[in-house]
Amino acid sequence: SWGYDLIDLNQTLIMPQASVNYHFKMKSSKLDVFAGAGVGFSIYNSDWTNETSSGGFFLNGVIGIRYYISRKIAIHARETLVVIGDWGGSYTLLGVTIAL
């Protein structure tokens, strides 16, 4: 969700999805390399004049890597590419995984 105070515009984009990943067997137990795909539905809403709400199905591909620093903490990077649907494009996610 985002907005612009100067022109009184608010927009919201929600993209729930289900995804599956294949985790490749690696020699190192600290390294987790994976690839997968996801399918979801985008829900877009805007209060801009003459702009309507929209939504639609999308399909994306994912590649990623996770490196375990300890048994319960890892750093990871994931690249996602939306191949079919609205809001297409590519984005990178960097983060930390914490196992509870």
Side-chain angles (χ1 to χ4, degrees):
S1 181
W2 61 94
Y4 304 96
D5 290 335
L6 294 175
I7 55 174
D8 195 27
L9 169 63
N10 292 300
Q11 298 170 305
T12 303
L13 175 63
I14 301 171
M15 298 176 70
Q17 72 172 322
S19 60
V20 295
N21 292 315
Y22 177 80
H23 295 261
F24 297 94
K25 186 165 179 75
M26 306 300 291
K27 289 183 180 182
S28 171
S29 63
K30 291 186 171 197
L31 195 60
D32 177 22
V33 178
F34 58 92
V39 63
F41 189 81
S42 61
I43 305 162
Y44 173 73
N45 188 18
S46 174
D47 63 5
W48 185 260
T49 306
N50 297 326
E51 187 172 30
T52 60
S53 300
S54 66
F57 285 98
F58 65 87
L59 178 65
N60 62 24
V62 176
I63 58 171
I65 187 167
R66 183 178 295 123
Y67 181 79
Y68 286 89
I69 298 169
S70 70
R71 204 170 74 94
K72 294 195 171 210
I73 299 175
I75 55 175
H76 68 260
R78 180 173 65 195
E79 181 69 23
T80 301
L81 175 64
V82 178
V83 293
I84 296 174
D86 290 341
W87 303 99
S90 174
Y91 62 90
T92 302
L93 174 69
L94 304 172
V96 176
T97 301
I98 300 173
L100 300 176

